[in-house]
Amino acid sequence: METTKEEKFQTLLVLSIRILLALIFLSYGMSKISGGQFGGLTQAELNTPIKDLSLFKIGWYLFDHQPFKAFIGISQVMAATFLLFNRTVILGLLMLIPIIFNILVIDLTIMGYGLKVGFFFRLTGYLFYIALLLFYYKQSTFPALRSITQTHFTPTNLKNKWTYLWILLIIPLLEIIPAAPKMLFLIATHPKEVWVQIMHWFT
């Protein structure tokens, strides 16, 4: 079947949006990984009391620390790279949604009015492009969303209601289990401090 002009235009538009978003977030991500974004405070600003600095300057300083900076940069690079491949494009789009919302909320919080307005329309525009792509790939997107949101567990095998009381024991145990590696780490690295703390509990 011959491809119509409308279908050709849709294909070109979809590819253009994918490449645009990929380039933008590859650029954002690589700038963070290479150290080109965040930070940038002068020595005079670093010596200024925090109450006298703008939220933008404070945020830019905090975001410059690791591992936050690398995590954000790598996440953006991964999402952007996924957009370039047909097998991973939907995964890339779904990854970009929380990334963009996070940037949007941060920008609305710390930026001045002019930048705030500009970035609001720019970032919501990117979210609109993502919505268009998800709709274009609806044959794959909608079944995946239905699978994620359907009921996966029904406790039909717990007929005795008193059995649910075990949850009161299981929940505290689940909370304690992740603390065990922490205790082993502290014992291995700071045995004297741990021993002093233990003795303090019993005195």
Side-chain angles (χ1 to χ4, degrees), residues 113-164:
Y113 180 76
L115 287 173
K116 189 179 296 188
V117 171
F119 274 92
F120 172 79
F121 285 105
R122 183 180 182 188
L123 293 170
T124 52
Y126 295 159
L127 290 171
F128 175 71
Y129 290 156
I130 290 173
L132 285 179
L133 291 183
L134 289 174
F135 183 76
Y136 179 80
Y137 295 113
K138 59 183 177 294
Q139 289 185 341
S140 298
T141 305
F142 293 166
L145 291 176
R146 280 196 297 270
S147 177
I148 292 171
T149 56
Q150 70 182 5
T151 301
H152 292 280
F153 172 70
T154 304
T156 55
N157 58 336
L158 300 178
K159 295 180 180 179
N160 187 345
K161 293 183 178 180
W162 291 104
T163 307
Y164 286 96

Side-chain angles (χ1 to χ4, degrees), residues 70-110:
F71 172 75
I72 297 299
I74 292 171
S75 298
Q76 291 178 344
V77 169
M78 286 179 60
T81 303
F82 287 157
L83 295 182
L84 300 175
F85 300 95
N86 291 330
R87 293 176 66 89
T88 56
V89 60
I90 293 176
L91 179 59
L93 294 171
L94 294 177
M95 282 183 65
L96 274 184
I97 292 173
I99 289 173
I100 294 175
F101 268 116
N102 184 55
I103 296 171
L104 179 59
V105 172
I106 289 173
D107 288 351
L108 292 177
T109 302
I110 69 173

Side-chain angles (χ1 to χ4, degrees), residues 2-124:
E2 186 178 350
T3 305
T4 64
K5 290 183 179 181
E6 182 180 350
E7 290 172 333
K8 289 179 181 178
F9 174 76
Q10 286 181 354
T11 301
L12 290 173
L13 180 61
V14 166
L15 288 174
S16 297
I17 294 174
R18 285 171 58 178
I19 293 171
L20 172 66
L21 292 174
L23 290 175
I24 289 170
F25 286 94
L26 275 173
S27 174
Y28 281 164
M30 291 305 299
S31 67
K32 293 176 179 65
I33 293 171
S34 63
Q37 193 176 14
F38 300 145
L41 272 67
T42 65
Q43 190 60 45
E45 289 170 333
L46 291 173
N47 294 331
T48 302
I50 192 170
K51 66 182 178 62
D52 297 326
L53 288 172
S54 67
L55 284 176
F56 180 81
K57 292 291 185 179
I58 296 170
W60 231 233
Y61 172 75
L62 293 174
F63 300 154
D64 195 43
H65 291 73
Q66 301 293 5
F68 177 83
K69 185 175 181 179
F71 172 75
I72 297 299
I74 292 171
S75 298
Q76 291 178 344
V77 169
M78 286 179 60
T81 303
F82 287 157
L83 295 182
L84 300 175
F85 300 95
N86 291 330
R87 293 176 66 89
T88 56
V89 60
I90 293 176
L91 179 59
L93 294 171
L94 294 177
M95 282 183 65
L96 274 184
I97 292 173
I99 289 173
I100 294 175
F101 268 116
N102 184 55
I103 296 171
L104 179 59
V105 172
I106 289 173
D107 288 351
L108 292 177
T109 302
I110 69 173
M111 284 186 168
Y113 180 76
L115 287 173
K116 189 179 296 188
V117 171
F119 274 92
F120 172 79
F121 285 105
R122 183 180 182 188
L123 293 170
T124 52

